[in-house]
Amino acid sequence: MRRRKYEEFEEDNGTVLRYARHDNGGGFVESHAHVDPAAYVAENAYVDRGAAVGAGARIATGAWIDRGAVVHAGASIGTTAHVAAGAVIGRDARIGARAKVGANAHVWDGVRVDSDDVIAEGSVVRSGSQRRRAA
């Protein structure tokens, strides 16, 4: 079965978003997002408008990188995880499956966020941070 090369969605305000398949993995990348060719975006993963994904980063199946989020080189985003608008994931950081990183949150280089964890909006998660769950 042939899969579509691109998808289009219309937002409530009439803006049309066009998502093309990434060459490495087949996930969908919006035309105004930047994903390095050496990054892997799995099928059924989405990278939204204005987001950036660095070289060697891995975005797993069903993951969603929201508007303006940044996933730095070597980072890994788990299955069905959500990186909200404006969030920044540091180099070589690992976001577990089904984890949610809130809007404008920052996860520093090399940090591990466990599966199902929730990082609150605007939080900063450094190495050794104890309280990663939202209240």
Side-chain angles (χ1 to χ4, degrees), residues 66-93:
D66 216 326
R67 287 178 176 264
V70 176
V71 178
H72 283 285
S76 176
I77 310 299
T79 304
T80 67
H82 179 219
V83 177
V88 177
I89 308 301
R91 287 169 182 72
D92 300 316

Side-chain angles (χ1 to χ4, degrees), residues 20-42:
R21 289 199 179 271
H22 191 264
D23 289 337
N24 189 9
F28 287 105
V29 177
E30 206 277 334
S31 61
H32 292 91
H34 174 74
V35 177
D36 190 278
Y40 176 81
V41 180

Side-chain angles (χ1 to χ4, degrees), residues 42-114:
E43 193 167 358
N44 299 322
Y46 282 84
V47 179
D48 274 349
R49 179 173 281 221
V53 178
R58 297 188 59 80
I59 313 299
T61 300
W64 174 21
I65 310 305
D66 216 326
R67 287 178 176 264
V70 176
V71 178
H72 283 285
S76 176
I77 310 299
T79 304
T80 67
H82 179 219
V83 177
V88 177
I89 308 301
R91 287 169 182 72
D92 300 316
R94 301 285 180 258
I95 307 300
R98 301 171 307 280
K100 297 190 180 348
V101 178
N104 301 309
H106 289 242
V107 177
W108 283 25
D109 294 350
V111 169
R112 305 291 189 254
V113 173
D114 293 333

Side-chain angles (χ1 to χ4, degrees), residues 8 13 20 26 39 51 56 58 66-67 74-75 88 93 99 103-105 117 120-121 125 130 132:
E8 287 184 347
N13 66 5
R58 297 188 59 80
D66 216 326
R67 287 178 176 264
V88 177
N104 301 309
D117 267 2
E121 181 176 336
V125 181
Q130 295 296 315
R132 292 192 300 223

